Amino acid sequence: MRILFWLIALFGLAVGLAMFARLNTGYALLFFPPWRMELSLNAFVLLFALLVLGGYGLVKLVDWLLAMPRNVRRYKAAKRVNDARRYRREAITALIEGRYHKSVRAIKVARDAEDEREMQLIDTLIAARAAHFGRDFDARDQYIEQARVACGGRSLALDMLEAEMMYEQYRNREALVALQRVYAQSPKLTAALKLELKIRQQDNHPARVIELTDMLEKSDALDPSHAARIRNQARLNQLKLDPMDASELERWWHGLRKDEKLLPKLAAAAARQFIRAGVGERAESILVDALEANWDVAPLETYGELGRLGVKGDAVKRLARAEDWLRHHPNDHQLLLALGRMCRDAALWGKARNYLEASVAVAATPVAHAELGQLLEQLDERETAEEHYRASLGLALDLLEKRT
């Protein structure tokens, strides 16, 4: 529609000019002493138009010639920018594809073609990452130094990248140094906290692991269930790494959250530490609370060994509590095994035998067969005891083969 409008306008203008030229009878007199020139008005208008257009063209030509050096510089700069973008795109694509050496070559060309300092720094960081993935660690270190010089020694991106690469190379101490520089610029950077959490887990620093886990969970950077698993393992490591006396252990236990105290493995490990510290009654209450909240084999096994571990207390009440649990868990072979151990420790040979045989009947395990064999050996039934010993050994070997 627009083209049709312009065509109509042009045709109208042409018709108007033709009519003007045909009907116009005027003339123009040009006087340049001592010369006089008389022209028709049509010729004068045409000549004037040609002079104006020629002058405009001459001015544009001069302007173009004067601007040529500037335009050449601008063209070269635009070409360098386009080249830098193209090679940077190739480098990033090659990095994602896993073609690390090609990525390094492409990003070097992009960096050389780039004029902007910030983009040169980014190109250097990409080159360092690609060289690291390509296991060219000397080149990577050179790029890191070049980037440090380019940014004046202060760059969050550089420090975070260096920390990640040092961690991936199992140089945890240097990674932690880089993370300290990151924290100086961004104290609560989630990526840095997660990276330090991995390092602290590897280096087995449970106190710091718990602190980092709490921080990440509060910021919704860790799923609560995942955070609970990490925290539970850290608590277990605390018990293994830091032997505590009774008072220290009590303070540590009171510092746990309510839900942590009911975790089966943690409760069993804490109970054993309380037993070691000579506070067997505390250990028993911990196990009972954990079992009544979350039925699990770890506290149940420790509960069944309280007598063997030298925990004083009412053994009859302890046995009665376990037999009450049996009403709710009648086919739990681990509970039957625990009851068999407790009866054997209390010299209730008949009940011990019944419980151990029931445990083997529900689920034959190497431990149950071995316990039953030891009991039968005490009762001078050596042949039957040897059968259970052989069964225990066979099951143990089968389990070992499956694991290997």
Side-chain angles (χ1 to χ4, degrees):
M1 189 67 183
R2 182 179 297 179
I3 296 175
L4 179 61
F5 172 78
W6 281 109
L7 287 174
I8 294 173
L10 288 174
F11 280 124
L13 179 62
V15 171
L17 290 174
M19 292 177 65
F20 174 80
R22 189 180 66 177
L23 299 175
N24 181 28
T25 59
Y27 66 92
L29 180 63
L30 301 179
F31 179 64
F32 298 100
W35 297 283
R36 294 166 60 96
M37 182 180 297
E38 185 176 321
L39 297 173
S40 69
L41 185 60
N42 292 336
F44 175 76
V45 170
L46 181 61
L47 180 62
F48 181 76
L50 291 174
L51 287 174
V52 170
L53 291 176
Y56 176 77
L58 181 62
V59 170
K60 292 294 292 183
L61 176 62
V62 172
D63 180 67
W64 180 77
L65 291 173
L66 292 175
M68 184 176 291
R70 183 175 66 252
N71 292 334
V72 170
R73 290 194 298 270
R74 188 179 300 167
Y75 168 78
K76 290 183 177 179
K79 186 175 183 302
R80 285 198 302 271
V81 170
N82 291 332
D83 289 344
R85 289 177 179 174
R86 178 164 59 87
Y87 282 106
R88 187 178 299 115
R89 186 166 53 248
E90 291 181 7
I92 295 174
T93 303
L95 180 63
I96 296 173
E97 292 172 346
R99 303 161 70 182
Y100 305 123
H101 297 295
K102 178 181 178 181
S103 178
V104 172
R105 291 194 299 269
I107 203 64
K108 285 172 65 177
V109 177
R111 187 182 61 173
D112 294 340
E114 183 61 62
D115 294 329
E116 188 178 346
R117 294 193 55 169
E118 291 185 0
M119 291 306 302
Q120 288 179 344
L121 174 60
I122 293 174
D123 292 339
T124 306
L125 296 179
I126 295 173
R129 171 54 87 180
H132 173 80
F133 282 145
R135 301 191 62 79
D136 190 353
F137 299 129
D138 292 336
R140 176 205 64 190
D141 294 339
Q142 291 177 5
Y143 289 128
I144 289 176
E145 285 303 316
Q146 292 173 11
R148 197 171 301 284
V149 172
C151 68
R154 186 177 179 84
S155 169
L156 181 61
L158 172 60
D159 293 331
M160 193 63 210
L161 178 63
E162 185 177 2
E164 290 176 354
M165 293 190 298
M166 293 301 102
Y167 166 73
E168 291 167 1
Q169 203 180 349
Y170 305 103
R171 295 163 63 177
N172 289 351
R173 181 175 299 179
E174 295 169 68
L176 289 173
V177 172
L179 283 176
Q180 293 306 312
R181 295 196 296 270
V182 172
Y183 291 143
Q185 301 170 72
S186 181
K188 296 183 179 180
L189 183 63
T190 299
L193 294 174
K194 283 187 173 182
L195 181 59
E196 186 183 356
L197 177 60
K198 294 177 183 178
I199 295 173
R200 297 300 186 182
Q201 285 179 299
Q202 285 186 357
D203 293 344
N204 209 1
H205 288 111
R208 181 60 177 166
V209 167
I210 294 170
E211 181 183 355
L212 290 168
T213 303
D214 292 340
M215 294 172 64
L216 289 169
E217 186 179 12
K218 287 178 182 177
S219 62
D220 294 328
L222 273 183
D223 183 79
S225 60
H226 186 203
R229 289 193 296 271
I230 295 174
R231 195 181 293 109
N232 184 29
Q233 186 59 49
R235 298 291 189 192
L236 291 171
N237 290 339
Q238 279 184 320
L239 291 173
K240 294 177 184 177
L241 293 176
D242 303 320
M244 296 176 273
D245 58 27
S247 59
E248 292 174 335
L249 198 57
E250 190 66 38
R251 283 195 302 271
W252 176 84
W253 182 255
H254 276 295
L256 300 183
R257 300 189 303 191
K258 185 177 179 180
D259 59 322
E260 289 182 314
K261 294 180 179 179
L262 301 178
L263 294 173
K265 291 184 179 180
L266 184 58
R272 289 184 178 274
Q273 291 298 317
F274 273 108
I275 294 170
R276 180 194 56 78
V279 195
E281 296 81 1
R282 189 78 171 102
E284 184 175 350
S285 66
I286 289 172
L287 294 172
V288 171
D289 291 341
L291 283 168
E292 292 181 349
N294 301 295
W295 189 258
D296 191 86
V297 63
L300 179 59
E301 183 178 1
T302 306
Y303 185 85
E305 294 180 344
L306 288 176
R308 299 183 183 185
L309 294 173
V311 176
K312 297 178 181 180
D314 192 342
V316 176
K317 183 179 178 181
R318 194 180 298 154
L319 180 59
R321 183 186 291 115
E323 288 178 334
D324 184 62
W325 288 336
L326 186 61
R327 292 191 298 107
H328 303 286
H329 308 278
N331 295 318
D332 191 320
H333 69 97
Q334 293 290 349
L335 177 56
L336 292 168
L337 175 61
L339 282 165
R341 285 172 169 172
M342 295 169 69
C343 290
R344 182 184 168 194
D345 295 337
L348 301 174
W349 312 119
K351 292 184 70 174
R353 181 170 185 170
N354 291 337
Y355 283 131
L356 290 175
E357 288 177 345
S359 177
V360 170
V362 173
T365 62
V367 176
H369 275 293
E371 288 282 351
L372 185 54
Q374 291 175 3
L375 176 62
L376 293 174
E377 191 173 4
Q378 278 184 289
L379 298 176
D380 291 330
E381 298 184 25
R382 298 187 180 277
E383 292 184 2
T384 310
E386 289 178 359
E387 292 178 3
H388 286 287
Y389 285 143
R390 286 194 293 270
S392 174
L393 180 60
L395 290 171
L397 291 175
D398 289 341
L399 290 175
L400 184 62
E401 288 179 1
K402 290 178 181 179
R403 291 178 181 176
T404 56

mmCIF file with all atom_site columns, all heavy atoms in Angstrom, residues 57 237 288:
data_model
loop_
_atom_site.group_PDB
_atom_site.id
_atom_site.type_symbol
_atom_site.label_atom_id
_atom_site.label_alt_id
_atom_site.label_comp_id
_atom_site.label_asym_id
_atom_site.label_entity_id
_atom_site.label_seq_id
_atom_site.pdbx_PDB_ins_code
_atom_site.Cartn_x
_atom_site.Cartn_y
_atom_site.Cartn_z
_atom_site.occupancy
_atom_site.B_iso_or_equiv
_atom_site.pdbx_formal_charge
_atom_site.auth_seq_id
_atom_site.auth_comp_id
_atom_site.auth_asym_id
_atom_site.auth_atom_id
_atom_site.pdbx_PDB_model_num
ATOM 1  N N   . GLY A 1 57  ? 27.027 16.987  -3.806 1.00 0.00 ? 57  GLY A N   1
ATOM 2  C CA  . GLY A 1 57  ? 27.842 15.788  -4.019 1.00 0.00 ? 57  GLY A CA  1
ATOM 3  C C   . GLY A 1 57  ? 29.303 16.054  -3.734 1.00 0.00 ? 57  GLY A C   1
ATOM 4  O O   . GLY A 1 57  ? 30.004 15.198  -3.174 1.00 0.00 ? 57  GLY A O   1
ATOM 5  N N   . ASN A 1 237 ? 31.196 -38.448 63.175 1.00 0.00 ? 237 ASN A N   1
ATOM 6  C CA  . ASN A 1 237 ? 32.640 -38.220 63.085 1.00 0.00 ? 237 ASN A CA  1
ATOM 7  C C   . ASN A 1 237 ? 33.167 -37.506 64.323 1.00 0.00 ? 237 ASN A C   1
ATOM 8  O O   . ASN A 1 237 ? 34.306 -37.752 64.747 1.00 0.00 ? 237 ASN A O   1
ATOM 9  C CB  . ASN A 1 237 ? 32.964 -37.409 61.828 1.00 0.00 ? 237 ASN A CB  1
ATOM 10 C CG  . ASN A 1 237 ? 32.748 -38.202 60.557 1.00 0.00 ? 237 ASN A CG  1
ATOM 11 O OD1 . ASN A 1 237 ? 32.733 -39.429 60.582 1.00 0.00 ? 237 ASN A OD1 1
ATOM 12 N ND2 . ASN A 1 237 ? 32.557 -37.517 59.447 1.00 0.00 ? 237 ASN A ND2 1
ATOM 13 N N   . VAL A 1 288 ? 16.700 -46.365 74.477 1.00 0.00 ? 288 VAL A N   1
ATOM 14 C CA  . VAL A 1 288 ? 15.256 -46.593 74.602 1.00 0.00 ? 288 VAL A CA  1
ATOM 15 C C   . VAL A 1 288 ? 14.482 -45.497 73.872 1.00 0.00 ? 288 VAL A C   1
ATOM 16 O O   . VAL A 1 288 ? 13.535 -45.770 73.118 1.00 0.00 ? 288 VAL A O   1
ATOM 17 C CB  . VAL A 1 288 ? 14.850 -46.670 76.086 1.00 0.00 ? 288 VAL A CB  1
ATOM 18 C CG1 . VAL A 1 288 ? 13.323 -46.696 76.219 1.00 0.00 ? 288 VAL A CG1 1
ATOM 19 C CG2 . VAL A 1 288 ? 15.453 -47.914 76.736 1.00 0.00 ? 288 VAL A CG2 1
#
